[in-house]
Amino acid sequence: MRRTVLLTIALAASTAIALTSCASGGGGGSSDSASPHPGTVVWARPAAIDGWEGDKCISSSGPTNAVVFDSLLRIQTPDGSGLVPGLASEWSYDESTYTYDLTIRDDAAFSNGDPVTADDVIFSFDEWKAGPISGILYASVASVTAVSDKEVQVVMAQPDTFLPNLLAWCNSNVYPADFAGMSRDDYFANPIGAGPYVVSDWSDPGGTTESISLVPNEHFWGWEGETPAVTELTIETIVDPSQRALQFQSGDIDILEQVDQATVAQIGEDHAVPTLPSINIGIVANTLAGPASDPVVREAISKAIDRDSIAGALGGGTEAATGILPINVPGTAEPTEPYTFDLDAAKDLMASSGSPDGLSMRYMYDPSNADSDTTAQILVTQLAEIGIDLELEPTDTATMNGRLADGDFDLARSGAGAISPTIFDPIGLILATSYVYSGVDATVMTDNFVTGTSTTDDAVVEQAVVAIQDDALKQNGYIGVIDLATNWAAQSYITGFVPIQYMVYYTDKLGFAE
């Protein structure tokens, strides 16, 4: 069962996360000092959410789910270096019995006023495990029982250090037992959560003009008896990036999600809210058919990529990749011999390959942001130096994912980003996506995932991660290119907006400058 978990452990982190590239800018604000709509915060995003069901919480729902729901644990802000209490005020792990004990905070309550109890947590675990999309993530949970009304014991089927990170994901929303007497459909249309806000209106759900209005949950534990400064939070879907930027410039939008280099240039760097790079963007190669099935060609491609040049062209917040795993994630480690740019070696490899006179290859990517398109154009030039004629195939993400699944590609833009503070999060995503698409041998990665998530020994973890990196650089089924940051933008009068590099932020501290 554990190996089955490995191949789907990162379904919570959609491929869309890895395919989206964001630029970084400076912090601070501009000369505007007062909100044009006092008490209200308007947050714009490029796509509708996936609904409120935790099982469907992938990239487009990650930041929004934490507005309505709370999780047992949270990610520490602002550095994202670990976990802190959420609905659970305490937690501990017994390595000898593979047992987690969690204590629910006394003041935790749902938006209908009911307290959060052990029964709610047990019901939620059952719902998580039954989920058709991400239920496999919880397959290692052997049992969940109530020790008292506010205490829960979780027994794992084998040694485990991954569960706490999972309990901070949006897949692990805590629901009221039996959905508070509502049907499943009615509940997720009008969710009752233990997070800071409550949905008051939801128009065009899932559409290109989706709008969600939320008001404070008066029972939320995080208010600590105080009245929140934000009396209404509105989440607007605006597909056109130029329109998002224009409305931000006019003051109609307070917070922008997914800010790329072009948007930073339009709105000004003083509005950008950068995070640390924690998304590795690279190239997945079809090792089962076509020209990329030649391992010598794949190695030549890797050595022909001038990663520093690409990172420099994309600007701040982008770094040249040294391996296939993102940086700035706890537990990460570089390969024994990081990527190097060696054009002469790349040419020699091509000369010794099955295509010494050159070849044509297709490169598929989503061009919806300037950074992705810029990278593609640079790759055309760089690979031409070793006799590879790279044909660009820009396409939308949905079509791209379908073609990847069908094996209808030579090379494609892909990658992995962490959504919690552990390197085994993006490793799981690569196992579930890039390695599946490429057809590369996943044995080393799978075995070391098991090893790394079954120990608290940092030396063993590092050894497992290095082994994964080294094997990936040997096979070149997935070739790392750059490390990116996820960036946002906020008006200068907004306070308490502290996003972290894991595609999430907590809205309970939002407010306005005096």
Side-chain angles (χ1 to χ4, degrees), residues 19-108:
L19 299 176
T20 300
S21 108
C22 302
S24 134
S30 67
S31 58
D32 52 337
S33 59
S35 170
H37 32 78
T40 298
V41 168
V42 182
W43 158 11
R45 60 197 327 272
I49 68 170
D50 299 303
W52 300 107
E53 190 173 350
D55 184 59
K56 298 176 181 178
C57 184
I58 51 178
S59 63
S60 67
S61 294
T64 53
N65 250 247
V67 178
V68 172
F69 298 98
D70 208 353
S71 48
L72 289 166
L73 302 180
R74 287 183 164 201
I75 300 170
Q76 180 172 301
T77 58
D79 61 5
S81 61
L83 301 171
V84 295
L87 292 175
S89 58
E90 299 176 34
W91 74 98
S92 62
Y93 176 56
D94 186 335
E95 295 182 44
S96 64
T97 60
Y98 320 148
T99 300
Y100 287 95
D101 289 297
L102 302 111
T103 301
I104 304 165
R105 61 172 66 246
D106 290 334
D107 53 354

Side-chain angles (χ1 to χ4, degrees), residues 268-281:
E269 290 193 358
D270 56 342
H271 286 296
V273 184
T275 64
L276 293 172
S278 62
I279 303 174
N280 181 281
I281 297 293

Side-chain angles (χ1 to χ4, degrees), residues 3 14 27 32 68 81 95 153 176 236 323 410 450 464:
R3 289 178 180 266
S14 154
D32 52 337
V68 172
S81 61
E95 295 182 44
Q153 187 172 85
E236 300 280 358
D410 294 330
V450 172

Side-chain angles (χ1 to χ4, degrees), residues 230-241:
V230 177
T231 56
E232 183 176 3
L233 176 63
T234 302
I235 302 173
E236 300 280 358
T237 294
I238 303 174
V239 176
D240 188 319

